[in-house]
């Protein structure tokens, strides 16, 4: 078991930047990037943009529910909403602090494959039926300007935000359970990831 005092710091202080650096410069991780980038581009950005510019005509289903009317629009939650990429990157940095280097490198490569698979599977739904909800036209924040510019809001079901953060928790749980770390330490890490995932999932509702 790897022991590292540095790894006992709060989850928020783990480095997303270090994870991105490892993805680009560690050979085992770098080789997964082209497929990941291609899959995300094709199954998220291109599907929506082609529909937006009327290149395709995929059926669009309104998936609002009456319960949605009871959930307020909370613009301040957008910071949490947009944090989900950094959230999963910080999670991968946890593994590099908790595992032996070789195991952590392998885990990160497997995680990239996992995210690629998530986008591919979501894309099989998006390519047949698009889904949307009533989204407030709110432009008072640079973050919302980015959202409106790059996300036409046509891929509500399945929610990749929810799938990715939930999948991240499940992936890390599987990895840590296979180590010799004590149960208390494993649970402590998983609890932080779990509650972070809940906050991001909730932000999807509040940001609409």
């Amino acid at each position: 078991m790897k022991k590292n005092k540095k790894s006992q710091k709060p989850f928020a202080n783990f480095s997303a930047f270090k994870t991105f650096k490892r993805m680009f410069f560690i050979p085992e991780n770098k080789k997964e990037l082209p497929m990941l980038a291609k899959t995300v581009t094709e199954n998220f950005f291109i599907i929506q943009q082609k529909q937006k510019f009327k290149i395709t005509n995929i059926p669009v289903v309104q998936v609002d529910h009456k319960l949605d009317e009871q959930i307020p629009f909370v613009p301040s939650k957008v910071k949490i909403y947009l944090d989900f990429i950094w959230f999963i990157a910080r999670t991968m940095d946890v593994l590099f602090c908790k595992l032996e280097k070789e195991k952590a490198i392998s885990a990160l490569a497997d995680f990239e494959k996992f995210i690629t698979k998530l986008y591919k599977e979501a894309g099989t739904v998006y390519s047949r039926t698009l889904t949307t909800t009533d989204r407030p036209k709110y432009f008072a924040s640079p973050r919302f300007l980015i959202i409106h510019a790059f996300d036409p809001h046509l891929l509500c079901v399945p929610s990749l935000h929810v799938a990715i953060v939930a999948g991240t928790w499940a992936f890390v749980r599987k990895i840590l359970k296979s180590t010799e770390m004590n149960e208390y330490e494993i649970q402590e890490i998983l609890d932080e990831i779990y509650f972070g995932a809940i906050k991001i999932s909730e932000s999807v509702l509040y940001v609409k």
Side-chain angles (χ1 to χ4, degrees):
M1 178 177 66
K2 182 178 181 180
K3 295 181 179 180
N4 189 340
K5 291 182 179 180
K6 181 181 177 183
S7 67
Q8 304 306 315
K9 61 188 176 184
F11 177 77
N13 291 339
F14 282 90
S15 174
F17 174 76
K18 286 182 179 178
T19 294
F20 297 134
K21 184 177 179 180
R22 292 173 185 124
M23 290 173 69
F24 280 97
F25 295 105
I26 295 177
E28 293 88 342
N29 301 138
K30 185 179 178 181
K31 68 182 181 181
E32 303 296 337
L33 279 179
M35 181 55 69
L36 175 59
K38 179 176 182 290
T39 303
V40 171
T41 301
E42 289 179 349
N43 292 280
F44 185 80
F45 293 104
I46 290 180
I47 285 179
Q48 293 195 95
Q49 295 302 322
K50 287 174 73 173
Q51 185 80 5
K52 177 181 177 179
F53 291 105
K54 303 186 185 304
I55 297 172
T56 58
N57 187 30
I58 302 171
V60 180
V61 177
Q62 195 81 17
V63 293
D64 289 289
H65 188 276
K66 288 184 178 180
L67 287 175
D68 291 319
E69 298 174 5
Q70 308 302 314
I71 302 172
F73 172 57
V74 185
S76 61
K77 297 288 185 180
V78 72
K79 185 175 181 180
I80 298 173
Y81 178 82
L82 292 177
D83 185 60
F84 85 108
I85 294 295
W86 303 96
F87 169 81
I88 62 176
R90 289 194 297 272
T91 301
M92 291 301 102
D93 189 42
V94 171
L95 296 183
F96 275 84
C97 289
K98 294 293 183 181
L99 306 178
E100 297 295 336
K101 183 178 179 180
E102 293 75 14
K103 291 182 180 179
I105 289 173
S106 177
L108 180 54
D110 287 343
F111 186 74
E112 291 175 48
K113 293 176 185 176
F114 171 68
I115 296 298
T116 297
K117 185 178 180 180
L118 271 183
Y119 272 88
K120 280 184 178 179
E121 292 189 355
T124 63
V125 178
Y126 301 152
S127 62
R128 293 174 180 271
T129 304
L130 299 174
T131 49
T132 191
T133 62
D134 289 326
R135 182 170 69 177
K137 291 180 172 60
Y138 183 85
F139 301 98
S141 160
R143 292 185 175 93
F144 276 96
L145 291 176
I146 293 172
I147 291 173
H148 286 289
F150 295 101
D151 181 6
H153 196 52
L154 295 171
L155 309 179
C156 294
V157 179
S159 168
L160 278 167
H161 259 72
V162 176
I164 289 173
V165 296
T168 298
W169 175 82
F171 180 88
V172 173
R173 180 181 62 173
K174 181 179 179 180
I175 294 294
L176 296 184
K177 291 289 185 180
S178 68
T179 69
E180 297 179 359
M181 290 171 56
N182 66 71
E183 288 296 322
Y184 176 81
E185 188 176 14
I186 290 175
Q187 196 57 51
E188 189 176 39
I189 295 169
L190 291 178
D191 283 349
E192 286 207 67
I193 296 172
Y194 175 82
F195 288 113
I198 291 295
K199 286 182 179 180
I200 291 172
S201 298
E202 287 178 342
S203 75
V204 174
L205 300 176
Y206 290 119
V207 172
K208 304 289 183 178

